[in-house]
Amino acid sequence: MAFRQALQLAACGLAGGSAAVLFSAVAVGKQRPGGDAEPRSPELPAWAGDTRSGLGLWDPNWDSIRREPLSLINLRKRNVESGEEELASKLDHYKAKATRHIFLIRHSQYYVDGSLEKDRILTPLGREQAELTGLRLASLGLKFDRIVHSSMTRAVETTDIIGKHLPGVCKVSTDLLREGAPIEPDPPVSHWKPEAVQYYEDGARIEAAFRNYIHRADAKQEEDSYEIFICHANVIRYIVCRALQFPPEGWLRLSLNNGSITHLVIRPNGRVALRTLGDTGFMPPDMITRS
């Protein structure tokens, strides 16, 4: 229990910054009568939550900072005389009123063989893909509030190109959205096996990004908002699973093209809908890649 609490506190603490934290874990096996440890499947990190016990039931209080109105009110301090009228007033005060539209954009094609991260710049095709993604977003006619992007080179370059088509929209860089290994995938794959510790370093950071950016609107927000997040395939796939309350270890079952658009909608009541996943229908078939 202490280990789970430590992970939860560390992951929550990351939401306010960009530093990665190194975690170590020891797998504990169940003892057989003969004394040998019986192997078992590894537990999910505490910051991922227990996604196996809900049997597909929706948790209305899923937000990382508990935005469900009833959870924000201390019912024991309620004035007995005013009763339901006071409760209704407090609920209205904490209740979200606006819908958040979140557009998750995967960076465009880049040179994967660059020895350093700064050398992994966009290819000529990647730059064309970003132009098309920017044109597509501009064609929607929406008033975008901001662009939040990963600090990695390929995401920064993609942001610069898309930003030209959305003049006046502010851009914010963050380390939280950098690419990484969010959680050990199920089923496992043979062609991609990060070190076990990487799941704890990257996973806590990506979970912190989810808690920091993916939630229902603040009660003070009056109008619907439209936000763009330009980052990476692993980050987007994990965020989609978490937002829909699907088992997060299934993130690798999803596939995203370069420059693709994923559209999440978060209603005032906290319900989440996936409008599009990895849309690249606005690109000619010969320009679609997944590298």
Side-chain angles (χ1 to χ4, degrees):
M1 179 61 70
F3 174 66
R4 282 183 170 271
Q5 290 174 341
L7 277 176
Q8 288 174 330
L9 289 172
C12 289
L14 278 173
S18 59
V21 178
L22 176 65
F23 297 102
S24 61
V26 178
V28 180
K30 181 181 178 182
Q31 289 298 119
R32 292 177 178 174
D36 296 331
E38 179 181 341
R40 70 180 186 185
S41 59
E43 290 186 2
L44 293 179
W47 42 259
D50 185 359
T51 59
R52 296 186 177 119
S53 60
L55 299 177
L57 299 179
W58 181 258
D59 175 12
N61 198 29
W62 62 273
D63 301 51
S64 57
I65 55 175
R66 302 181 70 80
R67 283 180 169 79
E68 176 64 22
L70 270 176
S71 72
L72 300 172
I73 298 174
N74 189 340
L75 296 176
R76 287 177 295 183
K77 291 186 178 180
R78 194 169 35 140
N79 189 321
V80 178
E81 294 181 3
S82 56
E84 297 301 321
E85 186 177 331
E86 180 192 19
L87 177 59
S89 175
K90 286 188 175 181
L91 283 174
D92 187 64
H93 174 74
Y94 287 111
K95 200 173 188 180
K97 305 170 186 65
T99 295
R100 293 185 68 206
H101 293 264
I102 294 173
F103 294 82
L104 299 159
I105 313 298
R106 188 191 175 196
H107 61 77
S108 302
Q109 186 191 64
Y110 69 105
Y111 290 106
V112 297
D113 55 353
S115 57
L116 300 175
E117 193 277 318
K118 66 182 181 65
D119 298 324
R120 295 167 194 162
I121 61 176
L122 299 185
T123 66
L125 174 58
R127 300 188 71 82
E128 292 183 57
Q129 290 171 337
E131 293 280 1
L132 290 174
T133 304
L135 286 168
R136 172 60 175 169
L137 290 169
S139 73
L140 298 177
L142 301 172
K143 183 182 177 182
F144 289 105
D145 297 86
R146 62 174 177 167
I147 299 174
V148 182
H149 63 88
S150 159
S151 58
M152 297 185 83
T153 301
R154 54 190 182 271
V156 171
E157 291 189 334
T158 301
T159 299
D160 289 341
I161 296 172
I162 290 176
K164 292 188 303 182
H165 299 280
L166 302 170
V169 180
C170 69
K171 296 187 281 289
V172 180
S173 177
T174 177
D175 291 342
L176 288 179
L177 291 174
R178 291 173 73 90
E179 184 64 300
I183 193 171
E184 192 169 356
D186 183 24
V189 293
S190 58
H191 62 277
W192 186 73
K193 289 187 176 181
E195 295 291 331
V197 70
Q198 188 175 342
Y199 289 115
Y200 287 92
E201 289 182 312
D202 294 345
R205 171 178 55 78
I206 296 171
E207 172 66 15
F210 171 78
R211 298 188 186 200
N212 196 44
Y213 295 119
I214 311 300
H215 50 75
R216 76 192 76 184
D218 187 271
K220 296 178 182 178
Q221 181 177 326
E222 298 290 340
E223 298 181 356
D224 294 353
S225 58
Y226 301 86
E227 302 159 76
I228 297 172
F229 293 83
I230 300 176
C231 50
H232 309 271
N234 295 356
V235 177
I236 295 172
R237 293 185 284 188
Y238 177 80
I239 284 176
V240 168
C241 288
R242 287 283 282 115
L244 297 177
Q245 298 188 26
F246 294 164
E249 65 269 36
W251 63 272
L252 201 51
R253 304 172 205 172
L254 307 178
S255 181
L256 297 175
N257 297 331
N258 294 115
S260 61
I261 300 174
T262 296
H263 181 185
L264 281 173
V265 179
I266 306 179
R267 300 292 183 192
N269 61 6
R271 295 188 182 181
V272 180
L274 180 63
R275 289 275 181 89
T276 60
L277 175 67
D279 176 33
T280 48
F282 51 88
M283 293 186 188
D286 60 351
M287 290 184 63
I288 294 176
T289 62
R290 283 185 294 277
S291 63

